[in-house]
Amino acid sequence: MAILKIARMGHPVLKCKADAVKDPTAPEIQHLINDMRETMADAGGVGLAAPQVHVPLRLVIFEIPETRLGEDHETTEELVSQVLINPIVKPRSEELTGGWEGCLSVPELRGAVPRHTNIHYQGVDEKGTLIDREAHGFHARVVQHECDHLDGVLYPMRMTNLTSLHYISEMRFNSGDLPPIGTS
Ligand code: NI
């Protein structure tokens, strides 16, 4: 395994539409997933898309902290660590929710981003097993953020009010506010 270099905003690999993974079970894809897991853990992110490590393929990984899953998820264990290959994401309603996001490709910044509250997503995992799931809240936000990377979209491009774009080091929170986690 290896820790991979993360591309930052401005690199061409983050601007292009990534290609479909032809064989999700191929050894080189398993190798890539292992390296991405190690890279994400090292960087302290909750998600990582293959283009962020200079591989323009439709593959993302994410880990939803159990504390962010909400009480209505029964499938905690399978959601904690997730590989999603060739994903299709569709909103289940027009409802949008704002929330703080960060990105390993946009270091040191956080911004408030409106995302669909409820989504349906499909794809396959590294064994080629079909994933077909509904998600809401933070889970839905992470999936939308990661899958945007596959189409060359970074979270600042989804912001509707740039006054919330902040350096983390300059942010001040009232006690009780949720800290801005979610770098992916
Ligand atoms: Ni990101």
Side-chain angles (χ1 to χ4, degrees):
M1 297 218 293
I3 293 171
L4 305 172
K5 186 180 180 189
I6 296 175
R8 294 187 299 172
M9 183 164 62
H11 193 290
V13 75
L14 295 175
K15 298 179 185 176
C16 64
K17 190 171 170 66
D19 295 325
V21 176
K22 290 198 176 82
D23 178 6
T25 64
E28 60 267 30
I29 297 299
Q30 311 306 308
H31 192 96
L32 172 65
I33 291 166
N34 288 337
D35 285 349
M36 285 176 64
R37 282 188 165 131
E38 190 173 3
T39 303
M40 185 173 78
D42 176 71
V46 297
L48 189 65
Q52 290 184 276
V53 291
H54 305 84
V55 178
L57 290 175
R58 304 188 81 77
L59 186 158
V60 304
I61 64 171
F62 54 89
E63 288 187 356
I64 310 292
E66 286 191 61
T67 51
R68 304 296 298 269
L69 274 176
E71 292 174 357
D72 48 339
H73 280 277
E74 316 110 13
T75 52
T76 302
E77 281 177 30
E78 69 173 305
L79 286 176
V80 165
S81 181
Q82 182 74 65
V83 175
L84 187 58
I85 298 169
N86 299 334
I88 298 168
V89 181
K90 291 184 178 155
R92 293 188 59 228
S93 72
E94 293 300 309
E95 184 187 345
L96 300 172
T97 305
W100 289 104
E101 293 187 21
C103 181
L104 296 174
S105 297
V106 191
E108 299 178 33
L109 294 172
R110 291 287 186 275
V113 186
R115 296 285 186 186
H116 291 287
T117 313
N118 300 291
I119 62 167
H120 175 232
Y121 68 92
Q122 292 178 309
V124 295
D125 67 12
E126 70 269 42
K127 295 173 184 150
T129 306
L130 181 69
I131 294 167
D132 187 321
R133 185 169 286 138
E134 291 179 357
H136 68 272
F138 186 70
H139 178 188
R141 175 174 300 281
V142 171
V143 170
Q144 289 170 86
H145 176 120
E146 293 315 323
C147 292
D148 264 356
H149 278 297
L150 308 181
D151 293 321
V153 176
L154 299 175
Y155 81 79
M157 297 155 70
R158 295 286 190 194
M159 291 176 68
T160 50
N161 183 352
L162 286 170
T163 60
S164 74
L165 191 62
H166 288 38
Y167 281 99
I168 299 164
S169 58
E170 303 289 1
M171 295 176 85
R172 300 290 181 270
F173 280 86
N174 298 322
S175 61
D177 284 354
L178 194 64
I181 70 163
T183 299
S184 48

